[in-house]
Amino acid sequence: LAGCSYKLRHQLHPVWQSPLSVPGGRRQSPINITLRDSLHDPHLKPLKIRYDSNTCTQIWNNGYSFLVEFDDSTDKSTLSGGPLLNQYRLCQFHFHWGESNAVGSEHTIDGILFPAELHLVHWNASKYKSFEEAVMEGDGLAVVAVFLKIGKRHEGLQKLVDALPAVRHKDSVVEFTSFNPSCLLPTCLDYWTYSGSLTTPPLTESVAWIIKKKPVEVSHDQLAVFRSLLFTSADEEEQKSMVNNFRLQQPLMNRTVRSSFS
Ligand SMILES: Cc1ccc(O)c(S)c1
Ligand SMILES: [Zn+2]
C-alpha cells in the first residue's frame, strides 16, 4: 500500500515541490506573506513598467502552464524601479491555478489563497545577454505576481482566453500579437518584495519577487477555460487536465518581506 500511496503522492506533488530539491536552498519560493512580519521600506521606489504590445509574439503550452511570449531582443518592454537596481526585459508571462476556486495561487497573504496567480517574468538586460544567462544569477530575474480573484469579467483577458483552445495540448503553439499585459495589472501601486526563486524547475534562486497587493478580477467562466487546457500532448492516450500547477510553499528562512506601503 505504501508503494502506491508513494506513487500517488509523487504524482500529485512532483519531487521538486520540497525545499530539499535545491541543495542549500535558502531563498525558495513561493512563501506565505504575513502582514505583521513585513516591513515598510520608505526607500522603495515606484515600479516603472513600460510594455509595448508589438513585442507580444505567441502562446505556448509547455506542459505545465501556458506562456505568452515576448520578443526580448530590445528594450521595448521593460520593468525597473521598485527594489531593482537595473532594467529588466519582459520575456514571458504565465499563470498558476487550481482545480477549483479554493486553491490556485502560489503565494498567500496571511494564509489567504487566490484561485490563480499571474507571473510576469523579466530578466536583467543591464547585466546579462539573455534570459538563459540571467536565470543562473542572484539578480538575474524579476517576476511581478498579480493575484486573480473571481468577480466581473476581465475584458482585456478575454483575447487571451479566446486563444487558449488553440493550445489545448502540451507543445502546441499559436501566434498571439498586439497584446499589452499592462491591462492585467491592478491600478493600485502597492506591492511586497522579497528575494526568492523560480517555482518550477530549475528552481534557481535568481528572482526578485514583486507581489502586487491588490488582485485583479476575472469571471468564473474565464478561469474555467484555463482548466480546459491539458498537461498532455495530443498523441498521449490519457488526457490530464492542466490544474493545480502551483508549487507548495517553502520556508521563509532568513528573509524579510518588504512593503512599498505602510
Ligand atoms: C521563468 C519562470 C518559469 C516558470 C515559472 O513558474 C516561473 S515562476 C518563472
Ligand atoms: Zn510562475
Side-chain angles (χ1 to χ4, degrees):
L1 195 61
C4 83
S5 67
Y6 168 76
K7 188 172 177 326
L8 184 66
R9 186 172 60 79
H10 179 73
Q11 269 172 339
L12 286 177
H13 296 299
V15 67
W16 48 264
Q17 285 284 4
S18 87
L20 302 181
S21 53
V22 183
R26 301 197 59 77
R27 53 174 281 196
Q28 287 292 293
S29 294
I31 60 169
N32 175 45
I33 295 169
T34 54
L35 296 185
R36 62 190 299 257
D37 295 339
S38 60
L39 184 66
H40 173 220
D41 179 348
H43 302 295
L44 280 172
K45 297 181 176 62
L47 283 176
K48 185 178 175 203
I49 300 180
R50 299 284 183 279
Y51 293 151
D52 178 342
S53 58
N54 295 318
T55 57
C56 192
T57 57
Q58 62 182 25
I59 302 178
W60 171 42
N61 177 333
N62 70 352
Y64 184 70
S65 183
F66 63 90
L67 310 185
V68 178
E69 299 187 302
F70 291 78
D71 167 16
D72 58 1
S73 61
T74 72
D75 280 330
K76 282 191 182 139
S77 291
T78 57
L79 165 71
S80 57
L84 306 173
L85 302 181
N86 298 123
Q87 179 164 273
Y88 290 65
R89 275 184 202 162
L90 175 66
C91 60
Q92 53 107 326
F93 72 79
H94 62 272
F95 298 81
H96 302 265
W97 62 90
E99 63 192 81
S100 75
N101 292 335
V103 290
S105 65
E106 299 207 302
H107 293 88
T108 52
I109 311 297
D110 278 347
I112 304 296
L113 276 159
F114 291 85
E117 184 172 329
L118 160 65
H119 288 164
L120 293 143
V121 179
H122 313 73
W123 55 273
N124 188 336
S126 305
K127 289 180 70 173
Y128 309 113
K129 292 191 292 296
S130 68
F131 168 84
E132 287 71 23
E133 184 188 337
V135 75
M136 305 309 289
E137 304 292 337
D139 61 354
L141 304 183
V143 180
V144 174
V146 181
F147 295 116
L148 273 58
K149 67 180 269 194
I150 302 301
K152 62 182 185 308
R153 177 183 147 107
H154 192 298
E155 292 309 328
L157 185 71
Q158 193 55 37
K159 177 178 173 166
L160 178 50
V161 168
D162 287 340
L164 293 184
V167 289
R168 189 155 180 260
H169 290 102
K170 176 181 176 187
D171 296 330
S172 46
V173 185
V174 69
E175 183 184 80
F176 189 71
T177 56
S178 310
F179 182 80
N180 188 326
S182 300
C183 73
L184 300 175
L185 299 172
T187 50
C188 179
L189 299 179
D190 294 344
Y191 63 86
W192 292 279
T193 184
Y194 79 97
S195 297
S197 73
L198 300 190
T199 63
T200 56
L203 301 170
T204 45
E205 300 185 334
S206 53
V207 180
W209 280 97
I210 296 165
I211 319 270
K212 300 294 280 184
K213 181 178 80 174
K214 294 284 190 191
V216 292
E217 286 188 24
V218 302
S219 72
H220 180 282
D221 291 354
Q222 287 180 311
L223 197 52
V225 178
F226 286 24
R227 302 188 188 106
S228 71
L229 295 176
L230 299 173
F231 281 132
T232 44
S233 50
D235 58 0
E236 290 174 70
E237 71 275 5
E238 191 191 356
Q239 306 218 330
K240 297 193 192 100
S241 75
M242 186 181 274
V243 292
N244 300 332
N245 55 0
F246 53 82
R247 190 188 191 195
L248 300 182
Q249 294 193 336
Q250 306 296 309
L252 182 62
M253 295 192 175
N254 181 29
R255 290 180 283 182
T256 300
V257 178
R258 291 180 288 160
S259 64
S260 69
F261 57 97
S262 52

